[in-house]
Amino acid sequence: MLILTTGGTIDKVYFDAASEFEVGEPTVPHIFEDVGADIDYELVPLFRKDSLEMTDEDREQIRAACEASGHRQILITHGTDTMALTAEALIGISGKVIVLTGAMAPARFRVTDAIFNIGSAVGALQSLSDGVYLAMNGRIFEAGKVRKNREVGRFEATS
Amino acid sequence: MLILTTGGTIDKVYFDAASEFEVGEPTVPHIFEDVGADIDYELVPLFRKDSLEMTDEDREQIRAACEASGHRQILITHGTDTMALTAEALIGISGKVIVLTGAMAPARFRVTDAIFNIGSAVGALQSLSDGVYLAMNGRIFEAGKVRKNREVGRFEATS
Amino acid sequence: MLILTTGGTIDKVYFDAASEFEVGEPTVPHIFEDVGADIDYELVPLFRKDSLEMTDEDREQIRAACEASGHRQILITHGTDTMALTAEALIGISGKVIVLTGAMAPARFRVTDAIFNIGSAVGALQSLSDGVYLAMNGRIFEAGKVRKNREVGRFEATS
Amino acid sequence: MLILTTGGTIDKVYFDAASEFEVGEPTVPHIFEDVGADIDYELVPLFRKDSLEMTDEDREQIRAACEASGHRQILITHGTDTMALTAEALIGISGKVIVLTGAMAPARFRVTDAIFNIGSAVGALQSLSDGVYLAMNGRIFEAGKVRKNREVGRFEATS
C-alpha cells in the first residue's frame, strides 16, 4: 500500500513555543502502531498544507505520484476543505484504487475522527475495485459525487 | 446496516465495585457519535459474552439473526478468541455482506484498536460483495481462511 | 473554592470551520466531572486570552476579583507564557491562598498535562498557607521566584 | 520523593491472552513523562495486589519502607478499597509527609481519575506538614478521618 500525506487537520500538532497549531509529521504510522495494524506500506510525505492552500500544481503532483507508484492500493491523507476537489483531480488513473481521507479533529485529540477514518479508508482500500474514493463520516463516496457540507461539518453525496 | 453485538473485549468496562472487568453495554454507538459517523443502523445486542464462552447454539442464533434481517450489510462485534470460528459458522448466508470485528484492548482504553477496527469494518462493509469477512489488524480476511495467532496477538491468513 | 479562568492553551479547542485553534469554554468543570472530583466551587470565566495578550489592566482585574471573593482558596487557569508575571501581580493579597496553573498542551489532547496540573493545583490549594503559588510540571513554586524556560518548555525556580 | 507502589486499580492492565485484567507495572513514571513532570523520585514497587488482598504484614512492610527511607516526601499508590486502612497503619511515622492515592478507573483508560489523583497527591506532598494523608476525589483527607463510601464510589470524611 502507498500512503501519500499532504497535511490537513489530521496531522495538526500544537507548538507551545508559538502557541499555535501547525501541520506536523504524518500520524498514520503512529496510528498503525497503536492499533496493531499488520499492513505493509510505503509512506511518502508530499506536503504539510492546509487543504485551502492546495494548488492545481499540487494536485498534479499528487496525481503524478499515484501514477508513478508501483502500488495498486493508495491511501491519501488530506485536509477536508478541498478533499473532494483533489479526489476529482485523480479520476481516471487506471489500475489503481485510491482512497482519500482526513479528519475534522486532529489525530492527537482525545476525541477525534482520525483513527476511525484511517480505519475505514484501509478497510475500503482492500475491498474496492479500481477507482477514486473518499472515506469520511463512516461512509465511502465516489470521487466527483461528494462534497463537504461546511454548515453541518459533514461530507454528503451530491445528487 | 444491522449491528449485532455479542460481547468480547471491545465492550469491556471496569466495575470498581467488583474490582473487575466485565462486558458492558455496546460501545459502537458511542464510537459513531465521537467520530461523527453518518450511518443509519439498527443495533441488536445479542449477548455480553467472552468469546470463549460462545456455544454452537449461540452461533446458530447469530446466524438466524443475520438470515432474518432485512439489512444486506451486517456488522458483528465479537470477542477475538473465537471470532474466526463464528465467521465460519456464517458462511453461505445468501444476499448479505457480513463483517466481524472486535478488539484486543477495550474501546474505553486510551490506546485501543477498537475505534480503528470498527472503522475498517464499516469501510469494508460498504465496499465488499456478498460474503462473510473478518476485519482485524487493518486487514480484511475471508471467513474460513483466517485464524488468531495467540502467540503474537494478531490475526493471520491460513494457507 | 473560586476558579478564575483567563484563557490560555489549556482551554484551546479546534474549530474545523476556521481550521484554527481558539480559546474555548473553560475545561475545568469537564475535568472535575471526568475524574469524579468532589469539590464545591464557583466558576468565574474572566477572559479567553492567550497569555501574551494579557495586559496590566487585565491583571488588575484578576487581582480585584481575588480580593472581592468570599473564598479563601482560589484557583486561576492561565496561559503559560506570562503566568509567572500574573502571579507576581497578585502578591500581597491577604487571607487567600492562590494557585495559578495551566497547560503546555490543550486539555482536549489525548496526551496533555492539563488534567495533572489541575490536580496538583487542587492538591496544593488545600494544603498551603496563605500566599500566591504556581503549579506546573509537578512542582509548586512561590510567586516571584519562578519563570518559564521557553527553550526547554518547563517552569523553573529563579535563584 | 519516594514513590511506593502496591498495586490496585490504577495499575491494572488488560492481558488479551487471558482476557483478564491484572495489576501491571507501575504507571506513575509514564504519567510523569506524559505530563512533563520535573520531579526527582525513587520508585520502589512493593506489591502488585488488589487492595482487598493486602494483609497486616503487607502494611507493616509498607510502614517499614517509609521509616527506612531517606526521603521526607513519600507518595504511595494503593487500591482504593483498603487505602484508608493502610493510611491508618502509617500514622505516627515521624519526620515524613506521606500521601496515599490511587484510582477508581485504570490509568490506561481514556477517561480516568488516575492522572488527576497523582497530580493532586504530588501537589499536596510539597505543601503539607508532616503526617499521613489520602488524596482522592480532588480532596486531601487526614489518615484516620476518611473512608471509602462504596455505594457512591467516593471518599468522604468521617465525623
Side-chain angles (χ1 to χ4, degrees):
Chain A
M1 183 184 299
L2 172 68
I3 301 179
L4 296 179
T5 66
T6 69
T9 294
I10 192 169
D11 284 342
K12 287 222 173 158
V13 294
Y14 187 77
F15 289 99
D16 174 65
S19 291
E20 253 180 42
F21 284 83
E22 295 174 23
V23 176
E25 56 162 347
T27 54
V28 170
H30 300 287
I31 292 173
F32 280 0
E33 194 186 338
D34 279 353
V35 305
D38 183 25
I39 296 174
D40 285 325
Y41 65 92
E42 177 192 358
L43 180 76
V44 177
L46 276 188
F47 312 115
R48 290 192 180 190
K49 291 196 171 188
D50 271 326
S51 75
L52 290 172
E53 302 164 7
M54 202 79 81
T55 65
D56 287 349
E57 281 168 15
D58 293 336
R59 293 193 170 91
E60 279 170 33
Q61 197 176 334
I62 295 173
R63 184 173 177 116
C66 291
E67 290 176 328
S69 170
H71 299 275
R72 178 180 164 266
Q73 297 177 354
I74 302 175
L75 172 65
I76 302 176
T77 61
H78 197 285
T80 59
D81 283 320
T82 67
M83 190 190 291
L85 201 58
T86 299
E88 271 189 77
L90 302 179
I91 290 177
I93 298 177
S94 69
K96 310 280 183 195
V97 52
I98 299 170
V99 179
L100 294 92
T101 194
M104 298 292 191
R108 284 162 181 83
F109 272 40
R110 191 152 59 130
V111 176
T112 172
D113 53 339
I115 296 163
F116 179 87
N117 291 349
I118 295 292
S120 73
V122 159
L125 255 185
Q126 296 169 67
S127 312
L128 291 162
S129 49
D130 292 355
V132 183
Y133 307 88
L134 199 153
M136 287 295 291
N137 300 111
R139 299 176 61 188
I140 309 300
F141 301 95
E142 273 185 68
K145 301 180 178 172
V146 58
R147 68 182 190 108
K148 180 179 177 185
N149 182 329
R150 288 178 64 94
E151 287 69 43
V152 297
R154 202 162 59 204
F155 282 78
E156 59 190 21
T158 53
S159 54
Chain B
M1 181 185 297
L2 172 68
I3 300 178
L4 296 177
T5 65
T6 70
T9 295
I10 192 169
D11 284 343
K12 288 224 171 156
V13 294
Y14 187 79
F15 289 100
D16 175 66
S19 292
E20 253 182 40
F21 284 82
E22 294 173 23
V23 177
E25 55 162 347
T27 53
V28 170
H30 300 287
I31 291 173
F32 280 1
E33 195 186 337
D34 279 353
V35 305
D38 182 26
I39 297 175
D40 285 326
Y41 66 92
E42 177 190 359
L43 181 76
V44 176
L46 277 188
F47 312 115
R48 291 193 180 188
K49 291 197 171 187
D50 270 326
S51 74
L52 290 172
E53 301 164 7
M54 203 79 80
T55 65
D56 286 350
E57 282 169 15
D58 293 336
R59 294 194 169 89
E60 280 171 32
Q61 197 175 334
I62 295 171
R63 185 175 176 114
C66 291
E67 290 175 327
S69 171
H71 298 276
R72 178 179 166 264
Q73 298 176 355
I74 302 175
L75 172 65
I76 302 175
T77 61
H78 198 284
T80 59
D81 282 322
T82 67
M83 189 190 291
L85 201 58
T86 299
E88 270 188 79
L90 302 178
I91 290 177
I93 298 177
S94 69
K96 308 281 184 197
V97 52
I98 300 170
V99 178
L100 294 92
T101 194
M104 299 292 190
R108 284 161 182 83
F109 271 40
R110 189 152 60 129
V111 175
T112 172
D113 52 339
I115 296 163
F116 179 87
N117 290 349
I118 294 293
S120 72
V122 160
L125 255 184
Q126 295 170 67
S127 311
L128 289 162
S129 49
D130 291 358
V132 183
Y133 307 88
L134 199 153
M136 287 295 292
N137 301 111
R139 298 175 60 186
I140 309 300
F141 300 96
E142 274 185 68
K145 301 181 179 172
V146 57
R147 67 182 190 108
K148 180 179 176 185
N149 182 328
R150 289 178 65 92
E151 286 69 43
V152 296
R154 201 162 57 203
F155 282 79
E156 58 189 21
T158 52
S159 53
Chain C
M1 181 183 301
L2 172 68
I3 301 178
L4 296 178
T5 65
T6 69
T9 295
I10 192 170
D11 285 343
K12 287 226 170 153
V13 294
Y14 186 78
F15 290 99
D16 173 66
S19 290
E20 254 181 38
F21 285 82
E22 295 174 22
V23 176
E25 56 162 348
T27 54
V28 170
H30 300 287
I31 292 173
F32 280 1
E33 195 186 338
D34 280 353
V35 305
D38 184 26
I39 297 174
D40 285 326
Y41 66 92
E42 177 192 357
L43 180 75
V44 177
L46 277 189
F47 311 114
R48 291 195 180 186
K49 290 196 172 188
D50 271 325
S51 75
L52 291 173
E53 302 164 8
M54 204 79 81
T55 65
D56 286 350
E57 281 169 15
D58 293 335
R59 294 195 168 88
E60 280 172 33
Q61 196 175 334
I62 295 171
R63 186 175 176 115
C66 292
E67 290 176 327
S69 172
H71 299 275
R72 180 181 164 265
Q73 297 175 355
I74 302 175
L75 171 65
I76 302 175
T77 61
H78 198 285
T80 58
D81 283 320
T82 67
M83 190 190 289
L85 200 58
T86 299
E88 271 189 78
L90 302 177
I91 290 177
I93 298 177
S94 69
K96 309 280 183 198
V97 53
I98 300 171
V99 179
L100 294 92
T101 194
M104 299 291 191
R108 283 162 183 84
F109 271 39
R110 190 151 60 128
V111 176
T112 172
D113 52 339
I115 296 163
F116 178 88
N117 291 349
I118 295 293
S120 73
V122 159
L125 256 184
Q126 295 169 68
S127 312
L128 290 163
S129 49
D130 292 356
V132 183
Y133 307 88
L134 199 154
M136 287 295 293
N137 301 110
R139 300 176 60 187
I140 310 299
F141 301 96
E142 273 185 68
K145 300 181 180 171
V146 57
R147 67 179 190 109
K148 179 179 177 185
N149 182 329
R150 288 178 63 92
E151 286 68 44
V152 297
R154 203 163 56 204
F155 282 79
E156 59 189 20
T158 53
S159 54
Chain D
M1 181 183 300
L2 172 68
I3 301 177
L4 295 178
T5 66
T6 70
T9 294
I10 192 169
D11 285 342
K12 287 223 172 155
V13 294
Y14 187 78
F15 289 100
D16 174 67
S19 292
E20 252 181 41
F21 284 82
E22 294 174 23
V23 177
E25 55 163 346
T27 54
V28 170
H30 300 287
I31 292 173
F32 280 0
E33 194 186 338
D34 279 353
V35 306
D38 183 26
I39 296 174
D40 286 326
Y41 66 92
E42 177 192 357
L43 180 76
V44 177
L46 276 187
F47 311 115
R48 291 192 179 189
K49 291 197 172 188
D50 270 326
S51 74
L52 291 172
E53 301 164 8
M54 203 80 80
T55 66
D56 287 350
E57 282 169 14
D58 294 335
R59 293 194 169 86
E60 280 171 32
Q61 195 174 336
I62 295 171
R63 186 175 177 112
C66 291
E67 290 175 328
S69 171
H71 299 275
R72 178 180 166 264
Q73 298 177 354
I74 301 175
L75 171 65
I76 302 176
T77 61
H78 197 285
T80 59
D81 282 321
T82 68
M83 191 190 291
L85 202 57
T86 299
E88 272 190 78
L90 302 179
I91 290 177
I93 299 178
S94 70
K96 309 279 183 197
V97 53
I98 299 171
V99 179
L100 294 91
T101 194
M104 299 291 191
R108 285 163 181 83
F109 271 39
R110 191 152 58 129
V111 176
T112 172
D113 53 340
I115 295 163
F116 179 87
N117 291 349
I118 294 292
S120 74
V122 160
L125 256 185
Q126 297 170 66
S127 311
L128 290 162
S129 50
D130 292 356
V132 183
Y133 307 88
L134 198 153
M136 286 296 290
N137 300 111
R139 298 176 60 188
I140 309 299
F141 302 95
E142 273 185 69
K145 300 180 179 173
V146 58
R147 68 180 190 107
K148 180 180 177 184
N149 182 329
R150 288 178 64 92
E151 286 68 43
V152 297
R154 203 162 57 203
F155 282 78
E156 58 189 23
T158 54
S159 54

